[in-house]
């Protein structure tokens, strides 16, 4: 798919508070609410099963909790339900861009995040003027079957140079506390995490640990040391 095959009549809304630095991706409404209650500002609801019996209710609940906590909640893939529910944002993969009504999303003032895995996909996504770009997967991940190999941090840096600050960026894929600092040093605007949150036995402690890493002070200190 070339960029010329996807036309959007207007740019997507920007994110008032930026992206990050921490962007949890979850499939559980109770966990999503807990994250918002802990002060996380941006969260994504990713329910893989399009036939999930409670999908519509989950989308509505996620949108409602986002409004309640004045947070930025994105709905993954299920753009029609998200559009109907008045979602703050929608996140789409490359295949979803072919079928989603991007103009309807843009006209509704809903933010759009787009997944990218290659340089070509990155250029396509940039041409859409999205609200943010997701770059991944950075490390191996069992949470989703991927058609491309892990990109690693050096390739992430290359993609960030291509973006050149035009839109906010988030790194995703296999990121946990052990590698979060290395990814943060790339200059990415946010780090998306899945298992590090969904499998956490102490959510508050995990969020605190990420908060210690994902600060501009920590990034600047390590960059100076290097």
């Amino acid at each position: 798919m070339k960029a010329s095959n996807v036309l959007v009549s207007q740019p997507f809304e920007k994110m008032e508070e930026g992206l990050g630095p921490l962007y949890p991706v979850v499939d559980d409404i109770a966990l999503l609410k807990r994250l918002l209650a802990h002060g996380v500002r941006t969260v994504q609801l990713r329910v893989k099963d399009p036939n999930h019996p409670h999908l519509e209710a989950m989308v509505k609940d996620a949108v409602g909790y986002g409004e309640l906590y004045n947070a930025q909640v994105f709905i993954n893939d299920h753009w029609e339900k998200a559009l109907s529910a008045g979602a703050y944002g929608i996140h789409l993969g490359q295949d979803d861009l072919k079928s989603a009504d991007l103009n309807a999303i843009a006209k509704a003032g809903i933010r759009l995040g787009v997944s990218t895995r290659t340089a070509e996909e990155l250029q396509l996504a940039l041409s859409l003027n999205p609200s943010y770009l997701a770059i991944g997967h950075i490390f191996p991940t069992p949470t989703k079957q991927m058609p491309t190999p892990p990109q690693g941090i050096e390739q992430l840096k290359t993609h960030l140079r291509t973006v050149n600050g035009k839109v906010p960026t988030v790194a995703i894929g296999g990121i946990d506390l052990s590698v979060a600092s290395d990814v943060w040093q790339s200059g990415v605007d946010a780090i998306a995490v899945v298992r590090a949150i969904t499998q956490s036995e102490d959510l508050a402690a995990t969020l605190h640990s990420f908060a210690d890493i994902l600060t501009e002070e920590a990034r600047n200190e390590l960059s100076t040391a290097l």
Side-chain angles (χ1 to χ4, degrees):
M1 179 175 59
K2 297 181 179 180
S4 59
N5 293 342
V6 180
L7 300 176
V8 184
S9 59
Q10 64 188 80
F12 291 92
E13 289 288 335
K14 303 305 179 185
M15 301 177 68
E16 297 87 348
E17 299 183 17
L19 240 182
L22 186 68
Y23 185 3
V25 178
V26 302
D27 62 0
D28 180 83
I29 288 295
L31 178 56
L32 183 145
K33 185 180 179 182
R34 288 176 63 201
L35 288 164
L36 298 180
H38 276 291
V40 177
R41 306 308 304 150
T42 309
V43 181
Q44 182 183 132
L45 177 69
R46 184 172 75 182
V47 181
K48 297 179 182 178
D49 182 6
N51 299 312
H52 191 293
H54 304 299
L55 178 59
E56 187 169 354
M58 293 175 74
V59 170
K60 289 181 179 179
D61 285 347
V63 173
Y65 287 136
E67 294 173 350
L68 177 64
Y69 288 95
N70 192 29
Q72 303 176 147
V73 176
F74 282 78
I75 307 300
N76 184 283
D77 289 353
H78 310 294
W79 66 270
E80 289 175 300
K81 289 180 172 58
L83 186 63
S84 177
Y88 173 87
I90 293 172
H91 182 94
L92 297 176
Q94 292 287 315
D95 290 338
D96 302 301
L97 292 175
K98 303 173 185 178
S99 56
D101 189 339
L102 300 182
N103 279 301
I105 295 170
K107 288 177 182 178
I110 296 175
R111 288 87 186 155
L112 179 71
V114 179
S115 292
T116 67
R117 299 163 298 194
T118 65
E120 182 180 13
E121 291 180 353
L122 193 68
Q123 291 293 347
L124 167 62
L126 280 171
S127 74
L128 300 177
N129 294 304
S131 307
Y132 74 82
L133 290 172
I135 301 173
H137 58 305
I138 307 304
F139 302 108
T141 173
T143 63
K144 187 177 182 181
Q145 188 172 6
M146 303 299 290
T148 54
Q151 302 203 45
I153 293 176
E154 291 307 312
Q155 186 61 45
L156 169 62
K157 292 178 180 178
T158 298
H159 290 323
L160 291 176
R161 286 193 291 270
T162 298
V163 176
N164 194 29
K166 295 182 181 73
V167 295
T169 52
V170 55
I172 188 169
I175 302 172
D176 57 24
L177 284 167
S178 69
V179 295
S181 181
D182 292 337
V183 178
W184 189 235
Q185 297 312 308
S186 69
V188 72
D189 295 303
I191 290 177
V193 291
V194 185
R195 288 177 299 146
I197 292 295
T198 61
Q199 297 179 10
S200 172
E201 296 181 357
D202 188 335
L203 183 61
T206 298
L207 292 175
H208 182 76
S209 296
F210 273 112
D212 285 343
I213 294 171
L214 305 179
T215 67
E216 287 307 312
E217 290 79 8
R219 177 144 61 188
N220 293 337
E221 286 174 7
L222 185 52
S223 297
T224 300
L226 294 175

